[in-house]
Amino acid sequence: MTLRKFDAVVIGDANIDLAVVGGSEVPLPGQEVYVDDVTMNVGGGAAIFTLALAKLGLRVAFNGILGDDLYGRHIREQFSQSGIDTRQIRTSTTQRTGISIAFNPETDRSFITYAGTNKELRMEDLNLEQVSAGRHVHMTGYRGRSNHEPFMAAAKKLKAEGVTLSCDVGWDESGEWDKSIFELMRQFDIFLMNETEAFHYTGFEAVEDSLRLFSQYCGHAVIKLGSRGAAAMQDGTSFRRPAYPVRAVDTTGAGDCFNAGYLFGYLSGMDAETSLKYGNACGALSVEAYGGSTGLPDLAGLEQFIRKHEPAFAEKRGGLA
């Protein structure tokens, strides 16, 4: 059996998130608007997921591209301080680290985004030997037909190396919602997406119908339902859990934090129902603070949160702190 250095290797985007706090409008030309605060955090779905997974105590490495600049160095430092291995991060010689500015994060957010080095991440350029140092690999950055073939090729090669795979497919910016996604699903052990994405791909308007279709291609599919919780189907059995009640101040990265909690459960040998509890708890704690993963505690804090809302949890988990 191959000895794996990491519990998970994450492939995807990393950038800086600037969140404008207390700003209910974008200034008109020639206008100045004062706000309560502007916070700076590590952003990008894959980076937020990585930070959240590391907080839960797993050995994690990040594979992406950053610029040789202040923001790139800041992201590397934040990763290192969280115990995340950064040796798989490449440095761009042509692009600067990406930045995303979020306005009015308390309600419907608006963004100004410079993708920067994230535009250079290509599946065909991956060092798969490095990536397969994880017993599990989480892949992001799927863009439909534009990178379907290299994404498929990378997934097949990694599966051949004996790792388990998960993917959060993300929003299809092309608007095509190409059915090749179902071919891709066959390569993955877990496939995650949100409700809107699922309905676009399946053409259905019910979560259960979408999960049943997904289960024909991937034995373990998860659909995130935002403030209504999440649903999963594993080996033909469906599960659904409501969200935990919290006061949301910033929903940035909530889905990525859910992914971290759910996959922590999966990688720890938990069933889908228990993994949904961990995912929902991570998503709930994420929205209580500005920044994608800043509100998340360590594993002990997360399980304390779940126990508070579900007293039977301690008995089922053997009273873990």
Side-chain angles (χ1 to χ4, degrees):
M1 180 180 294
T2 302
L3 182 63
R4 308 289 181 181
K5 185 182 298 185
F6 307 108
D7 294 308
V9 173
V10 183
I11 304 169
D13 58 330
N15 52 259
I16 290 294
D17 273 353
L18 299 178
V20 179
V21 181
S24 59
E25 59 182 324
V26 178
L28 298 172
Q31 184 182 28
E32 183 176 18
V33 174
Y34 286 90
V35 297
D36 296 335
D37 197 5
V38 177
T39 67
M40 185 178 84
N41 298 284
V42 176
I48 292 171
F49 168 84
T50 302
L51 286 163
L53 205 56
K55 281 189 176 184
L56 296 178
L58 295 189
R59 300 166 301 156
V60 190
F62 185 81
N63 188 302
I65 305 176
L66 295 171
D68 184 15
D69 50 38
L70 177 64
Y71 289 147
R73 289 188 288 274
H74 175 74
I75 293 171
R76 287 176 185 269
E77 289 170 3
Q78 293 298 303
F79 279 165
S80 295
Q81 289 174 15
S82 298
I84 297 165
D85 192 285
T86 62
R87 286 173 291 183
Q88 296 186 32
I89 298 177
R90 286 159 285 160
T91 302
S92 173
T93 59
T94 59
Q95 298 284 341
R96 289 175 287 112
T97 303
I99 303 173
S100 188
I101 305 173
F103 295 90
N104 203 20
E106 298 89 345
T107 54
D108 290 331
R109 294 163 294 158
S110 300
F111 295 91
I112 296 175
T113 297
Y114 163 66
T117 53
N118 290 322
K119 293 186 294 186
E120 296 184 14
L121 185 62
R122 292 156 42 98
M123 291 297 146
E124 52 266 50
D125 296 335
L126 290 177
N127 182 330
L128 295 180
E129 184 178 352
Q130 276 189 328
V131 176
S132 61
R135 64 184 176 98
H136 182 84
V137 176
H138 183 69
M139 300 175 68
T140 67
Y142 183 70
R143 295 188 293 275
R145 285 194 290 176
S146 67
N147 74 341
H148 177 77
E149 292 304 325
F151 211 95
M152 277 282 294
K156 286 181 178 179
K157 290 177 181 176
L158 287 168
K159 285 295 288 183
E161 292 293 328
V163 305
T164 55
L165 292 177
S166 60
C167 177
D168 187 324
V169 68
W171 184 257
D172 183 0
E173 295 180 355
S174 73
E176 294 178 338
W177 303 101
D178 189 74
K179 300 306 180 184
S180 298
I181 191 74
F182 296 109
E183 178 189 20
L184 182 68
M185 283 183 180
R186 295 186 187 277
Q187 306 302 320
F188 285 84
D189 298 277
I190 299 183
F191 215 84
L192 308 103
M193 63 180 73
N194 67 35
E195 183 180 32
T196 304
E197 293 158 356
F199 291 169
H200 274 296
Y201 280 120
T202 65
F204 296 137
E205 296 181 355
V207 172
E208 287 295 325
D209 291 338
S210 295
L211 281 173
R212 276 193 289 270
L213 179 58
F214 290 155
S215 70
Q216 297 177 27
Y217 302 92
C218 179
H220 196 159
V222 183
I223 298 179
K224 294 169 281 186
L225 308 175
S227 61
R228 301 191 336 274
M233 183 168 284
Q234 183 178 22
D235 300 328
T237 302
S238 61
F239 306 89
R240 189 162 180 161
R241 297 288 308 177
Y244 294 104
V246 293
R247 177 180 175 271
V249 299
D250 182 8
T251 59
T252 303
D256 305 303
C257 289
F258 169 91
N259 291 350
Y262 192 92
L263 284 164
F264 171 83
Y266 170 79
L267 293 172
S268 301
M270 300 175 195
D271 58 22
E273 184 177 19
T274 307
S275 295
L276 282 171
K277 293 180 183 181
Y278 277 76
N280 284 344
C282 282
L285 289 165
S286 166
V287 304
E288 287 191 310
Y290 290 102
S293 66
T294 55
L296 291 187
D298 59 13
L299 178 59
L302 184 69
E303 293 192 326
Q304 182 179 16
F305 173 86
I306 299 175
R307 279 200 305 273
K308 176 182 176 182
H309 291 84
E310 301 191 37
F313 175 80
E315 180 180 350
K316 183 172 183 179
R317 288 280 289 144
L320 289 181

PDB file of all heavy atoms in Angstrom, residues 208-232:
ATOM      1  N   GLU A 208     -34.665  15.707  -4.820  1.00  0.00           N
ATOM      2  CA  GLU A 208     -34.630  14.247  -4.836  1.00  0.00           C
ATOM      3  C   GLU A 208     -34.493  13.707  -6.253  1.00  0.00           C
ATOM      4  O   GLU A 208     -33.766  12.746  -6.499  1.00  0.00           O
ATOM      5  CB  GLU A 208     -35.891  13.681  -4.170  1.00  0.00           C
ATOM      6  CG  GLU A 208     -35.905  13.823  -2.658  1.00  0.00           C
ATOM      7  CD  GLU A 208     -34.805  13.007  -1.991  1.00  0.00           C
ATOM      8  OE1 GLU A 208     -34.487  11.919  -2.496  1.00  0.00           O
ATOM      9  OE2 GLU A 208     -34.267  13.463  -0.966  1.00  0.00           O
ATOM     10  N   ASP A 209     -35.200  14.324  -7.200  1.00  0.00           N
ATOM     11  CA  ASP A 209     -35.096  13.881  -8.595  1.00  0.00           C
ATOM     12  C   ASP A 209     -33.682  14.069  -9.115  1.00  0.00           C
ATOM     13  O   ASP A 209     -33.137  13.215  -9.825  1.00  0.00           O
ATOM     14  CB  ASP A 209     -36.089  14.655  -9.470  1.00  0.00           C
ATOM     15  CG  ASP A 209     -37.541  14.291  -9.177  1.00  0.00           C
ATOM     16  OD1 ASP A 209     -37.773  13.187  -8.632  1.00  0.00           O
ATOM     17  OD2 ASP A 209     -38.426  15.107  -9.478  1.00  0.00           O
ATOM     18  N   SER A 210     -33.086  15.205  -8.785  1.00  0.00           N
ATOM     19  CA  SER A 210     -31.718  15.482  -9.231  1.00  0.00           C
ATOM     20  C   SER A 210     -30.737  14.491  -8.624  1.00  0.00           C
ATOM     21  O   SER A 210     -29.848  13.972  -9.308  1.00  0.00           O
ATOM     22  CB  SER A 210     -31.323  16.916  -8.874  1.00  0.00           C
ATOM     23  OG  SER A 210     -32.112  17.855  -9.575  1.00  0.00           O
ATOM     24  N   LEU A 211     -30.890  14.206  -7.332  1.00  0.00           N
ATOM     25  CA  LEU A 211     -29.996  13.251  -6.674  1.00  0.00           C
ATOM     26  C   LEU A 211     -30.117  11.856  -7.290  1.00  0.00           C
ATOM     27  O   LEU A 211     -29.116  11.156  -7.471  1.00  0.00           O
ATOM     28  CB  LEU A 211     -30.298  13.192  -5.177  1.00  0.00           C
ATOM     29  CG  LEU A 211     -29.731  14.316  -4.311  1.00  0.00           C
ATOM     30  CD1 LEU A 211     -30.249  14.204  -2.887  1.00  0.00           C
ATOM     31  CD2 LEU A 211     -28.208  14.308  -4.317  1.00  0.00           C
ATOM     32  N   ARG A 212     -31.334  11.459  -7.608  1.00  0.00           N
ATOM     33  CA  ARG A 212     -31.519  10.131  -8.209  1.00  0.00           C
ATOM     34  C   ARG A 212     -30.820  10.048  -9.568  1.00  0.00           C
ATOM     35  O   ARG A 212     -30.209   9.028  -9.905  1.00  0.00           O
ATOM     36  CB  ARG A 212     -33.005   9.810  -8.339  1.00  0.00           C
ATOM     37  CG  ARG A 212     -33.618   9.226  -7.073  1.00  0.00           C
ATOM     38  CD  ARG A 212     -34.982   8.640  -7.322  1.00  0.00           C
ATOM     39  NE  ARG A 212     -35.964   9.687  -7.572  1.00  0.00           N
ATOM     40  CZ  ARG A 212     -36.675  10.270  -6.619  1.00  0.00           C
ATOM     41  NH1 ARG A 212     -36.532   9.892  -5.362  1.00  0.00           N
ATOM     42  NH2 ARG A 212     -37.552  11.218  -6.918  1.00  0.00           N
ATOM     43  N   LEU A 213     -30.898  11.122 -10.345  1.00  0.00           N
ATOM     44  CA  LEU A 213     -30.208  11.125 -11.629  1.00  0.00           C
ATOM     45  C   LEU A 213     -28.702  11.084 -11.424  1.00  0.00           C
ATOM     46  O   LEU A 213     -27.990  10.305 -12.082  1.00  0.00           O
ATOM     47  CB  LEU A 213     -30.608  12.359 -12.447  1.00  0.00           C
ATOM     48  CG  LEU A 213     -29.922  12.501 -13.812  1.00  0.00           C
ATOM     49  CD1 LEU A 213     -30.194  11.281 -14.695  1.00  0.00           C
ATOM     50  CD2 LEU A 213     -30.373  13.779 -14.514  1.00  0.00           C
ATOM     51  N   PHE A 214     -28.188  11.904 -10.516  1.00  0.00           N
ATOM     52  CA  PHE A 214     -26.750  11.916 -10.248  1.00  0.00           C
ATOM     53  C   PHE A 214     -26.255  10.542  -9.799  1.00  0.00           C
ATOM     54  O   PHE A 214     -25.147  10.118 -10.144  1.00  0.00           O
ATOM     55  CB  PHE A 214     -26.407  12.955  -9.174  1.00  0.00           C
ATOM     56  CG  PHE A 214     -26.568  14.386  -9.617  1.00  0.00           C
ATOM     57  CD1 PHE A 214     -26.802  15.390  -8.683  1.00  0.00           C
ATOM     58  CD2 PHE A 214     -26.499  14.740 -10.948  1.00  0.00           C
ATOM     59  CE1 PHE A 214     -26.949  16.708  -9.073  1.00  0.00           C
ATOM     60  CE2 PHE A 214     -26.651  16.058 -11.359  1.00  0.00           C
ATOM     61  CZ  PHE A 214     -26.871  17.043 -10.417  1.00  0.00           C
ATOM     62  N   SER A 215     -27.075   9.848  -9.007  1.00  0.00           N
ATOM     63  CA  SER A 215     -26.647   8.564  -8.450  1.00  0.00           C
ATOM     64  C   SER A 215     -26.451   7.506  -9.527  1.00  0.00           C
ATOM     65  O   SER A 215     -25.807   6.477  -9.274  1.00  0.00           O
ATOM     66  CB  SER A 215     -27.666   8.069  -7.416  1.00  0.00           C
ATOM     67  OG  SER A 215     -28.881   7.686  -8.039  1.00  0.00           O
ATOM     68  N   GLN A 216     -26.985   7.727 -10.715  1.00  0.00           N
ATOM     69  CA  GLN A 216     -26.755   6.797 -11.821  1.00  0.00           C
ATOM     70  C   GLN A 216     -25.321   6.900 -12.346  1.00  0.00           C
ATOM     71  O   GLN A 216     -24.842   6.002 -13.039  1.00  0.00           O
ATOM     72  CB  GLN A 216     -27.741   7.073 -12.957  1.00  0.00           C
ATOM     73  CG  GLN A 216     -29.192   6.862 -12.582  1.00  0.00           C
ATOM     74  CD  GLN A 216     -30.133   7.216 -13.712  1.00  0.00           C
ATOM     75  OE1 GLN A 216     -29.779   7.154 -14.894  1.00  0.00           O
ATOM     76  NE2 GLN A 216     -31.359   7.622 -13.367  1.00  0.00           N
ATOM     77  N   TYR A 217     -24.650   8.009 -12.012  1.00  0.00           N
ATOM     78  CA  TYR A 217     -23.297   8.242 -12.517  1.00  0.00           C
ATOM     79  C   TYR A 217     -22.255   8.289 -11.405  1.00  0.00           C
ATOM     80  O   TYR A 217     -21.103   7.927 -11.617  1.00  0.00           O
ATOM     81  CB  TYR A 217     -23.259   9.560 -13.307  1.00  0.00           C
ATOM     82  CG  TYR A 217     -24.238   9.580 -14.453  1.00  0.00           C
ATOM     83  CD1 TYR A 217     -25.531  10.078 -14.282  1.00  0.00           C
ATOM     84  CD2 TYR A 217     -23.885   9.072 -15.697  1.00  0.00           C
ATOM     85  CE1 TYR A 217     -26.440  10.081 -15.332  1.00  0.00           C
ATOM     86  CE2 TYR A 217     -24.787   9.062 -16.753  1.00  0.00           C
ATOM     87  CZ  TYR A 217     -26.058   9.568 -16.554  1.00  0.00           C
ATOM     88  OH  TYR A 217     -26.953   9.556 -17.606  1.00  0.00           O
ATOM     89  N   CYS A 218     -22.646   8.748 -10.230  1.00  0.00           N
ATOM     90  CA  CYS A 218     -21.739   8.832  -9.079  1.00  0.00           C
ATOM     91  C   CYS A 218     -22.475   8.305  -7.861  1.00  0.00           C
ATOM     92  O   CYS A 218     -23.579   8.780  -7.553  1.00  0.00           O
ATOM     93  CB  CYS A 218     -21.281  10.271  -8.850  1.00  0.00           C
ATOM     94  SG  CYS A 218     -20.179  10.485  -7.429  1.00  0.00           S
ATOM     95  N   GLY A 219     -21.904   7.355  -7.168  1.00  0.00           N
ATOM     96  CA  GLY A 219     -22.586   6.715  -6.052  1.00  0.00           C
ATOM     97  C   GLY A 219     -22.759   7.577  -4.824  1.00  0.00           C
ATOM     98  O   GLY A 219     -23.470   7.199  -3.894  1.00  0.00           O
ATOM     99  N   HIS A 220     -22.125   8.744  -4.811  1.00  0.00           N
ATOM    100  CA  HIS A 220     -22.184   9.611  -3.633  1.00  0.00           C
ATOM    101  C   HIS A 220     -22.269  11.059  -4.105  1.00  0.00           C
ATOM    102  O   HIS A 220     -21.267  11.655  -4.491  1.00  0.00           O
ATOM    103  CB  HIS A 220     -20.937   9.392  -2.778  1.00  0.00           C
ATOM    104  CG  HIS A 220     -21.043   9.921  -1.390  1.00  0.00           C
ATOM    105  ND1 HIS A 220     -20.244   9.479  -0.347  1.00  0.00           N
ATOM    106  CD2 HIS A 220     -21.841  10.879  -0.855  1.00  0.00           C
ATOM    107  CE1 HIS A 220     -20.555  10.127   0.750  1.00  0.00           C
ATOM    108  NE2 HIS A 220     -21.512  11.002   0.467  1.00  0.00           N
ATOM    109  N   ALA A 221     -23.470  11.607  -4.109  1.00  0.00           N
ATOM    110  CA  ALA A 221     -23.695  12.975  -4.600  1.00  0.00           C
ATOM    111  C   ALA A 221     -24.295  13.832  -3.489  1.00  0.00           C
ATOM    112  O   ALA A 221     -25.077  13.349  -2.667  1.00  0.00           O
ATOM    113  CB  ALA A 221     -24.624  12.965  -5.806  1.00  0.00           C
ATOM    114  N   VAL A 222     -23.913  15.114  -3.474  1.00  0.00           N
ATOM    115  CA  VAL A 222     -24.357  16.044  -2.436  1.00  0.00           C
ATOM    116  C   VAL A 222     -24.868  17.313  -3.099  1.00  0.00           C
ATOM    117  O   VAL A 222     -24.231  17.845  -4.012  1.00  0.00           O
ATOM    118  CB  VAL A 222     -23.212  16.395  -1.466  1.00  0.00           C
ATOM    119  CG1 VAL A 222     -23.716  17.300  -0.341  1.00  0.00           C
ATOM    120  CG2 VAL A 222     -22.577  15.132  -0.889  1.00  0.00           C
ATOM    121  N   ILE A 223     -26.025  17.796  -2.637  1.00  0.00           N
ATOM    122  CA  ILE A 223     -26.574  19.061  -3.126  1.00  0.00           C
ATOM    123  C   ILE A 223     -26.746  20.000  -1.942  1.00  0.00           C
ATOM    124  O   ILE A 223     -27.429  19.675  -0.959  1.00  0.00           O
ATOM    125  CB  ILE A 223     -27.922  18.863  -3.846  1.00  0.00           C
ATOM    126  CG1 ILE A 223     -27.729  17.978  -5.086  1.00  0.00           C
ATOM    127  CG2 ILE A 223     -28.519  20.213  -4.252  1.00  0.00           C
ATOM    128  CD1 ILE A 223     -29.021  17.702  -5.850  1.00  0.00           C
ATOM    129  N   LYS A 224     -26.132  21.162  -2.034  1.00  0.00           N
ATOM    130  CA  LYS A 224     -26.209  22.175  -0.974  1.00  0.00           C
ATOM    131  C   LYS A 224     -27.433  23.065  -1.201  1.00  0.00           C
ATOM    132  O   LYS A 224     -27.671  23.530  -2.309  1.00  0.00           O
ATOM    133  CB  LYS A 224     -24.924  23.017  -0.967  1.00  0.00           C
ATOM    134  CG  LYS A 224     -23.698  22.206  -0.580  1.00  0.00           C
ATOM    135  CD  LYS A 224     -22.402  22.963  -0.820  1.00  0.00           C
ATOM    136  CE  LYS A 224     -22.003  22.946  -2.291  1.00  0.00           C
ATOM    137  NZ  LYS A 224     -20.682  23.551  -2.525  1.00  0.00           N
ATOM    138  N   LEU A 225     -28.183  23.307  -0.119  1.00  0.00           N
ATOM    139  CA  LEU A 225     -29.452  24.022  -0.218  1.00  0.00           C
ATOM    140  C   LEU A 225     -29.418  25.370   0.499  1.00  0.00           C
ATOM    141  O   LEU A 225     -30.472  25.924   0.817  1.00  0.00           O
ATOM    142  CB  LEU A 225     -30.582  23.158   0.363  1.00  0.00           C
ATOM    143  CG  LEU A 225     -30.670  21.722  -0.188  1.00  0.00           C
ATOM    144  CD1 LEU A 225     -31.740  20.941   0.559  1.00  0.00           C
ATOM    145  CD2 LEU A 225     -30.950  21.746  -1.679  1.00  0.00           C
ATOM    146  N   GLY A 226     -28.244  25.900   0.771  1.00  0.00           N
ATOM    147  CA  GLY A 226     -28.139  27.205   1.413  1.00  0.00           C
ATOM    148  C   GLY A 226     -28.752  27.213   2.797  1.00  0.00           C
ATOM    149  O   GLY A 226     -28.459  26.351   3.640  1.00  0.00           O
ATOM    150  N   SER A 227     -29.636  28.163   3.061  1.00  0.00           N
ATOM    151  CA  SER A 227     -30.236  28.310   4.383  1.00  0.00           C
ATOM    152  C   SER A 227     -31.189  27.174   4.739  1.00  0.00           C
ATOM    153  O   SER A 227     -31.674  27.095   5.867  1.00  0.00           O
ATOM    154  CB  SER A 227     -30.987  29.643   4.471  1.00  0.00           C
ATOM    155  OG  SER A 227     -32.028  29.692   3.501  1.00  0.00           O
ATOM    156  N   ARG A 228     -31.441  26.272   3.775  1.00  0.00           N
ATOM    157  CA  ARG A 228     -32.320  25.122   4.036  1.00  0.00           C
ATOM    158  C   ARG A 228     -31.530  23.848   4.330  1.00  0.00           C
ATOM    159  O   ARG A 228     -32.100  22.773   4.455  1.00  0.00           O
ATOM    160  CB  ARG A 228     -33.269  24.887   2.853  1.00  0.00           C
ATOM    161  CG  ARG A 228     -34.150  26.102   2.563  1.00  0.00           C
ATOM    162  CD  ARG A 228     -35.273  25.855   1.595  1.00  0.00           C
ATOM    163  NE  ARG A 228     -35.110  24.765   0.682  1.00  0.00           N
ATOM    164  CZ  ARG A 228     -34.490  24.827  -0.502  1.00  0.00           C
ATOM    165  NH1 ARG A 228     -33.938  25.966  -0.895  1.00  0.00           N
ATOM    166  NH2 ARG A 228     -34.430  23.775  -1.294  1.00  0.00           N
ATOM    167  N   GLY A 229     -30.198  23.948   4.396  1.00  0.00           N
ATOM    168  CA  GLY A 229     -29.401  22.786   4.744  1.00  0.00           C
ATOM    169  C   GLY A 229     -28.778  22.114   3.540  1.00  0.00           C
ATOM    170  O   GLY A 229     -28.258  22.780   2.631  1.00  0.00           O
ATOM    171  N   ALA A 230     -28.850  20.791   3.480  1.00  0.00           N
ATOM    172  CA  ALA A 230     -28.210  20.043   2.395  1.00  0.00           C
ATOM    173  C   ALA A 230     -28.820  18.651   2.311  1.00  0.00           C
ATOM    174  O   ALA A 230     -29.449  18.162   3.251  1.00  0.00           O
ATOM    175  CB  ALA A 230     -26.701  19.947   2.620  1.00  0.00           C
ATOM    176  N   ALA A 231     -28.615  18.016   1.150  1.00  0.00           N
ATOM    177  CA  ALA A 231     -29.112  16.660   0.918  1.00  0.00           C
ATOM    178  C   ALA A 231     -28.014  15.844   0.253  1.00  0.00           C
ATOM    179  O   ALA A 231     -27.165  16.388  -0.459  1.00  0.00           O
ATOM    180  CB  ALA A 231     -30.367  16.670   0.065  1.00  0.00           C
ATOM    181  N   ALA A 232     -28.047  14.544   0.476  1.00  0.00           N
ATOM    182  CA  ALA A 232     -27.047  13.658  -0.119  1.00  0.00           C
ATOM    183  C   ALA A 232     -27.686  12.333  -0.477  1.00  0.00           C
ATOM    184  O   ALA A 232     -28.706  11.932   0.106  1.00  0.00           O
ATOM    185  CB  ALA A 232     -25.882  13.431   0.852  1.00  0.00           C
TER     186      ALA A 232
END
